[in-house]
Amino acid sequence: MRHVDTDKDGFALGLERGDAVRAIIEEFAAARGIGLAEVSAIGAVADPELGYYDLARKQYVRKVFAGDWELASLQGNITIKDGKPFLHAHVVLGGPDFAAVAGHLFDAKVAVVVEAFMRPHGGRIERSFIEEVGLHCWAIEG
Ligand code: ZN
């Protein structure tokens, strides 16, 4: 993975074929002490594992989409979970039939490239477990 610092609002990350998307982005944030950031990306990914959250059962339906996919959009954020930067991202993927597949991103490998921007904000947000929804959510008050 290569990166450049952009002028004022963050980093441009060039992920390379075979990189694990989650690990690369989370390790990049950890190395810079980033506790809150926006993340966006496009590119192409392989074998993405997505989730759909079943609120009634309080668990994700998980599915691996085998093969190579256009990463039409990744939108997400970095916050702190269990003391470390955590990427929460949702994606829209496209295959050869041009139909969209979308969901919560568990992980994916880079198939061709992934071109990402990370825009840190000052401060940090921690995640804490919320029983009502069964997930680690932003621990903010107000
Ligand atoms: Zn999600």
Side-chain angles (χ1 to χ4, degrees), residues 53 58 127-137:
Y53 193 65
K58 293 185 180 175
R127 288 183 178 272
S128 59
F129 186 75
I130 305 298
E131 186 72 38
E132 184 182 6
V133 294
L135 290 170
H136 287 80
C137 301

Side-chain angles (χ1 to χ4, degrees), residues 5 9-10 12 20 23 29-30 42 47 51 53 67 89 96 100 102 108-109 115 123 128 132 139:
D5 296 8
D9 65 347
I42 58 171
D47 304 326
Y53 193 65
K109 288 213 173 345
E115 300 166 349
S128 59
E132 184 182 6

Side-chain angles (χ1 to χ4, degrees), residues 60 88-90 104:
Y60 279 100
H88 182 203
H90 289 189
H104 172 97

Side-chain angles (χ1 to χ4, degrees), residues 29-114:
R32 286 157 185 79
I34 294 170
L36 180 61
E38 296 173 57
V39 178
S40 61
I42 58 171
V45 295
D47 304 326
E49 183 176 15
L50 304 189
Y52 168 82
Y53 193 65
D54 182 336
L55 180 59
R57 296 169 59 215
K58 293 185 180 175
Q59 63 185 50
Y60 279 100
V61 176
R62 300 173 76 120
K63 182 172 179 179
V64 174
F65 291 85
D68 297 337
W69 296 81
E70 291 285 345
L71 176 59
S73 180
L74 178 153
Q75 293 293 325
N77 57 67
I78 293 284
T79 53
I80 300 296
K81 180 180 173 189
D82 300 326
K84 299 182 297 188
F86 170 75
L87 172 68
H88 182 203
H90 289 189
V91 297
V92 179
L93 307 172
D97 63 356
F98 296 95
V101 167
H104 172 97
L105 179 69
F106 282 106
D107 209 354
K109 288 213 173 345
V110 177
V112 183
V113 295
V114 166

